[in-house]
Amino acid sequence: MLALMPATPSLAARLGDLVGQMVDELTVLLAAETGAVAGDPGPRLVASQLGWLHSLVFGEIAARTVAGEAPDAIAGVVEKLLEIVEDLLGERVLSYAVREEGA
């Protein structure tokens, strides 16, 4: 199934639609959590970054699974990938809309 999805235009399009829906819903949630005013681009920008990261990680996992790599090897690669992305995104994105403890 993992190999079939990107090779089938209708499945790839559907997957893209689902990612777009996820970003839209996350945008609404982040706007509510942060009290963003209408037109504030922050929630959409952060939601889009998280959508990109989601697609990147799952694409990497899928490609390596199809290639027959072992789960432990895939986990190691994804962990390194996430460390690099963490540095790229920076504290402002990583701490966006974080709830206080007990909230």
Side-chain angles (χ1 to χ4, degrees):
M1 183 66 171
L2 291 174
L4 184 64
M5 290 180 71
T8 306
S10 61
L11 290 176
R14 179 65 182 135
L15 185 59
D17 290 344
L18 289 172
V19 170
Q21 181 181 350
M22 178 186 70
V23 168
D24 290 344
E25 290 178 16
L26 184 55
T27 298
V28 171
L29 179 65
L30 290 172
E33 286 291 322
T34 61
V37 296
D40 181 350
R44 170 135 327 260
L45 291 171
V46 173
S48 295
Q49 290 296 308
L50 294 173
W52 161 77
L53 177 57
H54 180 269
S55 295
L56 178 71
V57 167
F58 280 96
E60 191 71 25
I61 291 169
R64 291 176 178 278
T65 299
V66 169
E69 291 187 32
D72 287 345
I74 295 170
V77 169
V78 170
E79 184 177 9
K80 288 177 186 173
L81 180 67
L82 289 172
E83 289 172 3
I84 294 168
V85 169
E86 184 177 18
D87 287 340
L88 289 173
L89 292 179
E91 190 60 31
R92 187 165 180 195
V93 171
L94 296 174
S95 64
Y96 191 83
V98 173
R99 288 184 181 179
E100 299 293 324
E101 278 191 49

